Structure formats: structure tokens, C-alpha cells
């Protein structure tokens, strides 16, 4: 079975080998630009990995894998407009470079291109693959909306947060794997089990992201450590801290959340200290581990060789032990 | 065969009978709102009409027809953001009512819903139907981009304008008909002929729209007569007038185009007078008629009963003789 690194590199090569029409350049240059900014290519690699797991030919899964990467980048292009984000992977976002209208329309075309790649599967599985893709796309949009709604809400419960990251992040991890499984001729039941593996792993992945944002090594993390704290982002860490903090810790935490002007480093250190006082890191890591364990339980149920399954286990392990 | 009015009413009933998930309401309320604003439901009616033309069951075409209406309204939702339009069918646009972010994301979900409806066809034609739908969607996006580019250009040629409206408007008319034809088990050749009928008719339709904008009866038109003149929109009428006007007419026309402040009624009347001096209305109507004739020639080639074809001829006739 291929290693995840091999699959990522196959995807990366295919992305680099993709060309777009020359005109209208306002539509196609932003697509080529965003796709060229890199990223880990994990989601499309998962499509290939799932096909490989069930003994399918990864060449049959390459177009749908690229569809997943196009779809993921389409959501980034539109999300960045909504979030007014100036940078993506350290480079100007599409809307910052070309304006909102270009980013809206270019994103729309990107979404159609994703469908065009996705339908390049055997006729017998086309309807099933599209059902998964459509459900995934709706989930991701709903997750993004719920995430934006959280910004305007005082209190968010842990369960609501977990449902939001399930939709915004995890259904695409699950969907990518399920599509790959269908291409690899897995049964519906096997494909569903692999979906559940992916969904649970996706939740663990996002929790790890939230933890790294606060506790990551600045030299390895790649983004500004403490970004979530600076923006009062309602992650699991903050939600749990607001639930558990008492006395002075709670007063201080609420003060930091309410301050319109502050020194970023000071705020990040202060809030991290409060998290440390109430053991937020351990709580978060335990929760992440419990989702990782659920994922492994799902994998256990799948009828594939132990050797093949261990590649997925290694992948899960890599995701939750990653430092960036 | 069903009349176009019967088909429009079937679509309207189906649109009104469609319900959307309750949450997140920011995603689904705007979809229900925009779909409830009405419109002629011509595009989805064409899907049914094409199925009917080839003796198919229009019930098989209802979901794809609604997909076409959802897709059309999705493009309106996003276009209205880009055009900063305050009103749509006399009511506040989605972005004016809920903000740009909601209009972007709600539109994205609408697009997925369109795909979900579109794939409700027999497995044997699914790939072909999706090929048409994807090509249509890409055409419409390219047309919108080219239309926006025209705003920032001094000179636009007639051929460029015709290519723009072909993409922005006509490919969807053709695409709707072709999808209906495939559902009615038409051969590829017949479906292509019907597509060409629709594309030519769509161009005629848009030219009639441009003519009505200048020469429509204010009591019947439904929109502000002269809106294109007020906004210096580069329609066929203006492009041709700039090509043909001479002497004082040309100077006056260019003056009106350059004026930042003006009385709207005065500008509309003055520009319309210049158009009258050089016979722009006749030229436009002749061009429109020539596309309508091309459409009828395409229809001629189609192997269907004269009675059925005459319903489509009546429809074409209605489109180019309409007053709103």
C-alpha cells in the first residue's frame, strides 16, 4: 500500500500539472493561484488512500481526489471573503488580491470544476459518489455558517462546538475517505465504516489544531501561535475554560475577552496561564484522544488486511501527533 | 402537449411546495425568500417542455427543472452582490437584507441543492445530464465575468457583446432544453439541435430585453424603462449607436456617457432620440429576428410532431413579442 507521503506527492504533482483556460483570466488565474499555494493535500490523499485500502487502482481515484482538493480550496476562497482574511498560507488571499467579486465568481467556477472532476468515476457508482459529495458540501457550508453565528453569541456549549467542527471540518475528511472507498469497490457498509473513521479523525484533527494554536511551538506551527486567543475564537479550549474557571481566573479571563485594546503577547500569555491553572491542555488532549480512539474502533470493523489498515493507523497517529 | 402556461404553473406550484431545513436559518431563509419572489419560471418550464416534446413523462423532469430554477436563482443571488443591486423583482436583494456573507454562503448551498435535484434522473443519462449542467454553469459564470469586464472597458465590439450574452443568458436556455430532451430519451443529435434552438432563442430573448429597456411601455415593463441608458450599460443598442452615430449625434452621445451628474429622464430621452436618429430600434429588432429565425431553423431539423413543435414555435413567438 502507498504511504501517505507518496500519495500526497502524487496529488501535488497532479495539481501542478493542471492547467486552466486562459480567459476570462479574472476567473481562472485566482484558481491557479490558490491551488499553487500548497497545503498538505491531506484530503485528496485520503481519497487515494481509501481506494488503495480496498485494493482499488489509485489512478481511478485521481480525478475525484483533485475534485476534493478543488472543493476544499473553493471553500477557503469564499470563507476568506466572509472572514475578511488578508492572508492564506502566508500569501494574500484571492479577495485581497483581486477583490470580492472575483473571489465570489472564481470560487463558483472552482466548485463547478470540482463537480466536473468528481463525475469522472464508473457509471455504476456515480450516483452514490455524488450523494456523498453533495452531503459533504452541504455539511461544510452549514458548519461555516454555524461558526460565523458563534462569533455573535455570548455562550457556546461544548456539544454545539463539536457539532460545528464535525460539519465544518470532519464531514469532508469522512466524505473524502468514503468516496475513495466507493471507487475501490468497497461495500456500502465498509464505506460507511470508513466514513465514521474519517469523521471521528476529523474532529480529533480540529481539536489538535485548536491545541496547537495555543500550545504549538512557534518555530514549527507555521501560523501565529495564540491567534485564536487574540480573536476570542470560541474553541473547545475557551469554551471549557469559561465553564471551569472560578474566582480570579474567571474574572481575569472575562476581562481579557472584553478588552478592545491589548498587547497581543500579553493577552496570549495571560489566557494560556489561566488555561494552565485549570488543566485545559490535558482536558483537550484527552478529548482529542477519545475521538482518535473512536476512529480506531471504526477502523477495526473494516474488513481489510492488517497491513493496509496499519497505514491508516499511522496516518491517524501522525495527524494527532503533528506539531503544525 | 402541455402549453407553456401550464408548465410554468406546474413549476410554480412545485417551487411553492418545496421546504428547506430550519437551521441554520441564515442559510435556508434566503433561499426560500429568493425562490418565493416569483419570476416567470421560464427556464425550468423549458426543461419540462423539452421532455414533453419527445414524448417523455414530465414528472421525470420535475426535479431537474427545479434544479435549473435553483441554479438560476443562485446566480442571481451572487450576481446581485457583485452588482451591488439593492432590489430584485422589486424586493430587497438577499445581500441587502442579510449581508454579503449570508448571500455568498446561502448561494453556495443553493448551488449544491441544485445538483441534488439535478441528479434525480435515470442512471443511464446521469453523466450526460451532468455534462450539460456543468458546461452550462461554467458558461454562465464566464458570461458574468465578461459582462463585469465590459464595465471597465471603453470600447466593446458587437461580436464580443453577442458572445457575452450567449454565455450569460443563452447557454442556460439551451442547457435547460437539452437536459429536458435527454430526459425525454431524445438522441444526442436531437438534443443538440434543441440546444441550438435554445441558444439562438436565448440570444434573441436578451436582445429583446435590451430593446424593451429602451422602448418598453413603462406600464407593462415592470422595471424602470431606460435603466441601461442611465447606467451606460454596453448593450447592443449602445454599442451599435457608438459605431454608427456621426457628427452632433456622436458628440452628444459621448457627452451623455461622460456626464457624472444628470437628470435621469432627460438622459434617457436624449439618448433614445439619438438612437431614433440612426434607426437603432430597427437594427436591433432585425438582429433579434435573425436569431429567432436561426432558432426556428434548428427546430425544423428536429424529428417531432408538427403539433408539438408548434408549441415551441408559439413559445419562441411569445418571447420575442413580449412587452415585459
Amino acid at each position: 500500500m502507498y504511504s501517505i507521503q507518496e500519495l500526497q506527492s502524487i496529488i501535488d504533482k497532479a495539481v501542478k500539472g493542471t492547467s486552466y483556460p486562459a480567459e476570462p483570466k479574472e476567473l481562472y488565474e485566482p484558481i491557479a493561484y490558490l491551488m499553487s499555494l500548497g497545503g498538505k493535500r491531506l484530503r485528496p490523499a485520503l481519497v487515494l488512500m481509501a481506494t488503495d485500502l480496498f485494493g482499488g487502482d489509485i489512478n481511478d481515484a485521481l480525478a475525484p481526489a483533485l475534485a476534493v482538493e478543488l472543493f476544499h480550496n473553493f471553500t477557503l476562497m469564499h470563507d476568506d471573503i466572509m472572514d475578511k482574511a488578508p492572508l492564506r498560507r502566508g500569501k494574500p488571499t484571492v479577495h485581497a488580491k483581486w477583490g470580492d467579486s472575483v473571489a465570489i465568481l472564481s470560487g463558483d467556477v472552482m466548485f463547478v470544476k470540482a463537480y466536473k472532476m468528481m463525475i469522472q468515476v464508473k457509471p455504476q457508482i456515480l450516483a452514490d459518489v455524488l450523494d456523498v459529495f453533495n452531503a459533504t458540501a452541504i455539511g461544510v457550508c452549514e458548519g461555516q455558517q454555524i461558526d460565523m453565528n458563534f462569533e455573535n453569541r455570548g455562550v457556546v456549549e461544548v456539544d454545539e462546538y463539536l457539532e460545528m467542527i464535525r460539519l465544518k471540518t470532519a464531514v469532508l475528511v469522512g466524505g473524502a475517505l468514503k468516496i475513495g472507498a466507493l471507487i475501490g469497490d468497497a461495500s456500502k457498509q465498509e464505506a460507511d465504516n470508513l466514513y465514521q473513521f474519517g469523521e471521528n479523525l476529523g474532529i480529533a484533527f480540529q481539536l489538535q489544531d485548536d491545541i496547537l494554536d495555543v500550545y504549538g511551538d512557534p518555530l514549527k506551527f507555521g501560523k501565529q501561535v495564540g491567534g485564536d486567543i487574540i480573536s476570542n475564537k470560541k474553541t473547545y479550549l475557551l469554551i471549557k475554560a469559561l465553564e471551569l474557571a472560578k474566582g480570579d481566573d474567571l474574572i481575569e479571563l472575562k476581562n481579557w475577552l472584553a478588552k478592545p485594546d491589548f498587547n497581543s503577547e500579553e493577552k496570549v500569555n495571560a489566557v494560556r496561564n489561566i488555561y494552565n491553572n485549570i488543566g485545559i491542555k490535558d482536558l483537550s488532549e484527552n478529548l482529542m484522544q477519545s475521538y482518535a480512539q473512536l476512529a480506531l474502533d471504526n477502523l477495526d470493523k473494516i474488513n481489510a488486511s492488517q497491513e493496509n489498515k496499519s497505514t491508516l493507523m499511522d496516518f491517524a497517529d501522525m495527524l494527532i501527533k503533528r506539531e503544525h
Side-chain angles (χ1 to χ4, degrees), chain A:
Chain A
M1 201 178 161
Y2 289 92
S3 72
I4 183 79
Q5 290 80 5
E6 286 170 313
L7 297 174
Q8 283 170 300
S9 130
I10 289 169
I11 294 291
D12 209 53
K13 214 171 285 176
V15 167
K16 288 191 177 119
T18 306
S19 61
Y20 299 93
E23 294 291 339
K25 65 181 194 310
E26 294 81 1
L27 280 187
Y28 295 111
E29 272 182 15
I31 299 177
Y33 169 77
L34 188 56
M35 292 296 282
S36 77
L37 294 185
K40 303 188 196 80
R41 316 288 188 202
L42 283 178
R43 293 162 188 82
L46 287 177
V47 179
L48 303 185
M49 194 184 272
T51 302
D52 199 18
L53 174 71
F54 293 104
D57 182 346
I58 63 163
N59 289 310
D60 294 342
L62 194 55
L66 291 172
V68 164
E69 186 68 357
L70 276 165
F71 170 76
H72 175 57
N73 279 274
F74 143 72
T75 66
L76 299 180
M77 201 188 277
H78 277 190
D79 285 2
D80 282 342
I81 310 171
M82 301 178 223
D83 300 342
K84 301 191 194 311
L87 297 176
R88 166 67 57 189
R89 310 193 204 284
K91 294 275 164 60
T93 47
V94 168
H95 73 99
K97 209 170 146 83
W98 282 281
D100 284 7
S101 292
V102 163
I104 293 171
L105 199 57
S106 187
D108 291 346
V109 171
M110 207 165 179
F111 197 8
V112 186
K113 292 268 175 195
Y115 274 105
K116 282 188 73 157
M117 303 295 274
M118 190 55 84
I119 64 175
Q120 293 175 37
V121 294
K122 282 179 295 187
Q124 309 92 281
I125 59 165
L126 178 55
D128 287 340
V129 165
L130 285 171
D131 281 344
V132 178
F133 189 48
N134 288 332
T136 300
I138 286 182
V140 172
C141 290
E142 289 187 354
Q144 165 70 2
Q145 185 62 54
I146 296 169
D147 195 17
M148 291 194 295
N149 290 349
F150 284 176
E151 288 173 28
N152 306 313
R153 278 178 48 182
V155 179
V156 170
E157 305 291 335
V158 167
D159 282 357
E160 294 176 303
Y161 178 73
L162 292 173
E163 175 63 5
M164 185 277 284
I165 62 174
R166 184 184 75 82
L167 290 166
K168 186 168 173 171
T169 304
V171 296
L172 182 54
V173 178
L177 285 164
K178 187 168 178 178
I179 288 168
L182 292 170
I183 296 168
D185 283 330
S187 68
K188 280 247 177 148
Q189 184 58 53
E190 299 286 29
D192 281 336
N193 284 336
L194 195 61
Y195 175 87
Q196 286 305 332
F197 164 79
E199 199 179 273
N200 285 315
L201 191 65
I203 294 172
F205 174 85
Q206 185 57 51
L207 288 169
Q208 172 71 348
D209 223 46
D210 295 350
I211 295 165
L212 283 174
D213 195 272
V214 177
Y215 292 101
D217 179 341
L219 293 176
K220 295 178 183 160
F221 186 48
K223 287 186 281 192
Q224 179 186 25
V225 170
D228 289 346
I229 292 177
I230 292 166
S231 65
N232 290 348
K233 174 112 183 139
K234 294 184 187 78
T235 65
Y236 174 75
L237 287 77
L238 177 56
I239 293 168
K240 205 66 195 168
L242 282 167
E243 192 185 307
L244 296 178
K246 292 201 166 52
D248 288 349
D249 277 343
L250 185 60
I251 293 165
E252 200 192 335
L253 181 57
K254 287 193 168 174
N255 275 344
W256 279 112
L257 292 174
K259 256 186 206 164
D261 302 303
F262 50 82
N263 173 289
S264 295
E265 209 186 319
E266 209 183 321
K267 179 173 175 178
V268 172
N269 286 330
V271 172
R272 193 191 286 118
N273 276 338
I274 299 168
Y275 287 177
N276 291 341
N277 292 343
I278 43 183
I280 288 295
K281 192 181 182 196
D282 279 355
L283 281 170
S284 306
E285 283 179 344
N286 289 344
L287 185 65
M288 180 194 66
Q289 290 291 353
S290 72
Y291 277 100
Q293 188 54 52
L294 283 174
L296 295 180
D297 293 348
N298 299 127
L299 194 58
D300 247 1
K301 291 188 209 151
I302 291 171
N303 190 12
S305 74
Q306 267 314 319
E307 191 199 330
N308 280 2
K309 287 206 270 188
S310 74
T311 306
L312 266 86
M313 274 185 243
D314 289 347
F315 170 67
D317 213 48
M318 180 197 89
L319 270 196
I320 59 180
K321 286 192 181 138
R322 78 203 148 92
E323 300 189 88
H324 60 88

